[in-house]
Amino acid sequence: MRLINLHPGKRGSKILAILPFVLLFAAYLAASAARHEANPDDKLLPTLSQMAIAMRRMAFTQDMATGQFLLWSDTAASITRLIEGLSISALISFVVGISVGMVPYLKKLLVPFVAAFSMVPPLAVLPILFIIAGIGEISKVTLIVIGTAPFMMRDLILRVEEIPAAQIIKAQTLGGSSWQIALRIVVPQMLPRLIDALRLSLGPAWLYLISAEAIAAQDGLGYRIFLVRRYFAMNIIIPYVIWITLLAFLFDIALRLIQSYAFPWFAGAKSQ
Amino acid sequence: MSLIQIKDLWQIYNDRVVLENLNLSIVEKSFVSIVGPSGCGKTTLLRMLMSEVFCTRGSILFDGTNLPKEPTRERGVVFQRYSVFPHLSVLDNVLLPIELRSCRILGKILGSRRYNMKEEARTMLDHVGLLRAATLYPAQLSGGMQQRLALAQALIAKPRVLLLDEPFSALDPGTRADIHVLTNRLWEETKMTVVMVTHDISEAFRLGTRVIVLERPLADDPTKGARITHDIPVHPRTKTKTGAI
C-alpha cells in the first residue's frame, strides 16, 4: 500500500492526536527534572508542583495589594477587553462589509481605502493611541479593533461578492428592493461567514491584547506575564500561557458551535 | 398582442458581433423556445430580457414601453443553478416573494398574516410536488427538486413572463422528463408567457409553442453575429405526439 492510502483507525487517530501533547509534556518533565537535579533552585523550568503552588496562590489567595484573586481578575479584565474589541470590530466590519459589497458606489469609494488602511501595522499605531486616548481601556480595545477590523471587512466584502449574481438577480425578479435584498438575502448568508472571520481574527486579537497589556495596564493576563517576568517567575508564566491558550481554544469551539446550531443550512450550502 | 417586441437588436462585445439585427415579437401566453449551439448568444438575449445586460443598438419593448433598466417583478427567472436561496427552507423560499411584496421594510411577515401566506405557499409546493420537503434546505434536495422549487418560487410572484435559462440542462434524463411534464402542466394552468433558452432541441419542441433557432453564419467570423435562422411554430397536435414518445 502507498503511504498516501494508509489511514489510521478510530483509536489510532485518537492516539495520534494525543501523542504530540504527551511527548511535549514528557520532554518538559524530563528536562525540568534534570535541571532540578543539577540545581534545586532552578527557576527556568519549574516542576509541576512549583507551578501548582504558584497557581494556587494566584487563583485562591487574595492579593495583599489589591484584595483580588489575581488569576480571575486578570482573566476577567482580558476577556472583557477582547470581547469588547472583537464585538466592535465585528459590528463595524459587518455593516461596512455588506454595504460596500452590495453598493457599487461604496465599493469604488472604500475598497482602495480599506486596502491601504489594512497595511498599517497596528502596533505601530499603539503609541498614537496612547497619546490620544491615554493608557486606559479605550486604547487597548481600539488596538484590537484596528488590528482585526480591516481584515474582517475585506473578508466580508469578498464573501458578499461571492454570492452568485444569479441569486441577486433572482431576488430582484421576486420584487426585492436593495434594502430587502440586504436584509433577507445577504445579511442572513453573511452571519455564519462573519463567525468564520471572527474565528480567524481570534489569534490576532489575542496578540494585540497581550501587546497592549504588556506595555500599559494595571491588570490582565498579558500584564501579569510581563510583570512577573522581572522575577523570572516561570512557574507563573507557563501556566498563564497554557491558560490563555485554553481560553483561545474555548472561544474557537464556542464560535464553531454557535455557527452550526444557529445556521444549520450553512455546512450543506458551503459544500455545494 | 405581443408582450415583448425586439427591434433591430445588436449586441457587440469588443468588436465581436454577438447578435446581429435581431427582430422578434413574442405574443402573450406563448411558450417560446430559443435554441442554438453554445456561444451563439441565446443566453445573452435572455439576459437582456431580464435587464442583466444591455444591447449595443436597437430596442426591446415590454408591453409597449421600453424595458426597465433593472430586473423587475414582471419578469421572473429560473437559472440552471443558484436559483433558490440556500439559507431558506423550501417553504421559506416560496414564502419569500409574498413577504417581499407585503412588507416593504422588513420583507418578513410575522403573526397571523404569515399563517395565511404559509397556506398559499404550501398550496404552491403541493402543486410542484414538494410539500413533503417543505422543511428541508435546498442543499438537501436533488437537482430536480431544486429546479421544481425554483419554478414554484418564480411562479408565486406571478410574473407576466417567465424567463428560463437552460433550467433543466444539469438534470439527468429521467428527472428531466418529469420536470417537462410539470412545466407543461404549469404553463397550461397559468397560461403565462414563457421564454426558454436551451441547447436541447427535443426539449425545445416538447415544451414550446414556437421554436426560434439562433445561429452564427460562420462560427469563427467575429464580424457576423448570430441571427434567427428558423422560426418554427409548433402545433399542439405534433406536440402531444412528441410528448407521447
Side-chain angles (χ1 to χ4, degrees):
Chain A
M1 279 275 263
R2 293 181 182 84
L3 183 63
I4 53 171
N5 292 328
L6 293 175
H7 296 278
K10 223 173 180 176
R11 267 190 63 198
S13 303
K14 272 191 188 139
I15 293 171
L16 284 175
I18 297 169
L19 193 64
F21 294 98
V22 174
L23 285 179
L24 180 66
F25 189 63
Y28 181 86
L29 285 186
S32 170
R35 283 189 71 97
H36 278 269
E37 203 163 312
N39 170 20
D41 290 333
D42 179 65
K43 292 195 104 173
L44 202 63
L45 298 179
T47 60
L48 287 186
S49 62
Q50 285 175 319
M51 287 194 267
I53 291 165
M55 286 322 281
R56 200 175 301 147
R57 182 159 47 77
M58 298 303 287
F60 304 116
T61 314
Q62 266 187 333
D63 180 55
M64 285 204 278
T66 59
Q68 284 175 316
F69 300 95
L70 289 177
L71 176 66
W72 308 119
S73 60
D74 285 341
T75 305
S78 287
I79 286 189
T80 308
R81 288 168 192 145
L82 192 78
I83 290 180
E84 280 174 2
L86 279 176
S87 307
I88 295 171
S89 180
L91 191 73
I92 297 175
S93 335
F94 199 65
V95 174
V96 174
I98 286 179
S99 321
V100 170
M102 285 186 74
V103 182
Y105 269 91
L106 286 178
K107 197 178 287 182
K108 291 278 179 286
L109 179 73
L110 286 178
V111 165
F113 180 74
V114 174
F117 193 81
S118 67
M119 294 300 155
V120 176
L123 282 177
V125 182
L126 191 56
I128 303 178
L129 290 178
F130 282 154
I131 291 168
I132 295 174
I135 53 171
E137 296 302 306
I138 296 174
S139 50
K140 297 181 198 74
V141 171
T142 312
L143 181 69
I144 296 176
V145 175
I146 292 179
T148 56
F151 161 76
M152 280 205 262
M153 226 177 261
R154 294 177 84 185
D155 188 60
L156 279 166
I157 295 172
L158 289 177
R159 298 288 94 83
V160 174
E161 285 175 349
E162 266 175 21
I163 295 179
Q167 237 187 63
I168 302 298
I169 300 257
K170 175 86 179 207
Q172 296 179 60
T173 65
L174 299 177
S177 64
S178 301
W179 171 248
Q180 285 180 321
I181 292 172
L183 217 55
R184 291 297 316 272
I185 310 297
V186 182
V187 165
Q189 292 196 65
M190 287 304 120
L191 281 171
R193 288 168 171 100
L194 176 71
I195 292 183
D196 275 342
L198 261 176
R199 285 178 62 194
L200 288 174
S201 296
L202 270 181
W206 275 104
L207 166 71
Y208 298 125
L209 173 69
I210 289 176
S211 313
E213 287 179 344
I215 295 168
Q218 280 87 49
D219 52 9
L221 297 165
Y223 163 76
R224 194 67 53 200
I225 293 178
F226 278 80
L227 180 76
V228 300
R229 177 191 60 116
R230 297 178 199 158
Y231 318 115
F232 295 103
M234 287 290 268
N235 55 348
I236 294 176
I237 294 176
I238 292 173
Y240 257 66
V241 171
I242 294 172
W243 176 234
I244 292 171
T245 311
L246 185 70
L247 287 174
F249 187 67
L250 291 176
F251 265 77
D252 191 59
I253 289 182
L255 285 173
R256 213 171 55 206
L257 286 179
I258 292 172
Q259 191 184 48
S260 63
Y261 280 107
F263 310 102
W265 56 271
F266 187 59
K270 215 164 44 171
S271 64
Q272 277 218 329
Chain B
M1 158 191 165
S2 62
L3 181 64
I4 298 170
Q5 213 159 10
I6 297 171
K7 280 194 231 163
D8 310 324
L9 186 88
W10 288 71
Q11 176 67 4
I12 302 167
Y13 275 134
N14 313 323
D15 295 338
R16 183 185 149 88
V17 182
V18 181
L19 298 171
E20 184 173 327
N21 201 24
L22 231 60
N23 282 288
L24 178 66
S25 101
I26 294 171
V27 295
E28 221 160 337
K29 298 183 172 59
S30 60
F31 193 129
V32 179
S33 305
I34 300 175
V35 290
S38 2
C40 73
K42 55 190 192 297
T43 292
T44 306
L45 180 60
L46 200 75
R47 290 197 164 156
M48 284 180 194
L49 292 178
M50 64 181 84
S51 307
E52 192 189 350
V53 291
F54 301 98
C55 56
T56 319
R57 254 179 275 157
S59 66
I60 302 177
L61 298 183
F62 183 73
D63 206 12
T65 55
N66 275 319
L67 201 68
K69 293 273 180 227
E70 56 178 3
T72 52
R73 183 195 283 280
E74 279 91 52
R75 292 162 289 148
V77 293
V78 173
F79 296 100
Q80 188 178 338
R81 288 185 68 200
Y82 306 123
S83 262
V84 291
F85 302 107
H87 62 292
L88 297 176
S89 71
V90 168
L91 183 66
D92 285 342
N93 258 294
V94 180
L95 207 54
L96 182 75
I98 313 175
E99 290 183 305
L100 292 177
R101 187 176 53 218
S102 318
C103 179
R104 298 308 296 170
I105 298 167
L106 283 179
K108 195 161 174 74
I109 301 291
L110 304 162
S112 60
R113 278 176 70 205
R114 188 179 168 85
Y115 183 82
N116 295 335
M117 290 170 180
K118 269 190 172 168
E119 279 314 302
E120 188 184 343
R122 281 214 183 83
T123 311
M124 179 54 91
L125 282 181
D126 194 23
H127 219 60
V128 299
L130 281 178
L131 193 53
R132 282 197 297 177
T135 57
L136 299 180
Y137 287 106
Q140 295 167 286
L141 304 181
S142 68
M145 288 163 95
Q146 285 194 18
Q147 291 310 77
R148 281 165 189 266
L149 177 59
L151 278 173
Q153 189 184 47
L155 286 177
I156 208 164
K158 300 194 174 70
R160 299 200 51 196
V161 57
L162 186 60
L163 306 170
L164 308 178
D165 185 9
E166 306 252 10
F168 315 127
S169 301
L171 306 179
D172 59 82
T175 315
R176 203 186 300 186
D178 287 347
I179 207 164
H180 283 164
V181 173
L182 173 73
T183 309
N184 229 327
R185 198 185 82 214
L186 291 173
W187 176 73
E188 269 167 9
E189 284 167 5
T190 56
K191 282 294 171 206
M192 185 178 295
T193 314
V194 180
V195 181
M196 176 179 75
V197 156
T198 177
H199 58 249
D200 180 345
I201 293 177
S202 73
E203 178 174 272
F205 278 94
R206 188 168 304 164
L207 295 176
T209 56
R210 181 181 175 194
V211 175
I212 306 277
V213 182
L214 216 55
E215 241 173 321
R216 299 176 75 85
L218 294 161
D220 49 1
D221 184 356
T223 62
K224 291 197 167 54
R227 56 204 69 187
I228 295 170
T229 54
H230 301 274
D231 184 346
I232 311 158
V234 183
H235 301 297
R237 206 164 63 89
T238 41
K239 227 178 89 178
T240 43
K241 219 169 87 187
T242 44
I245 297 165

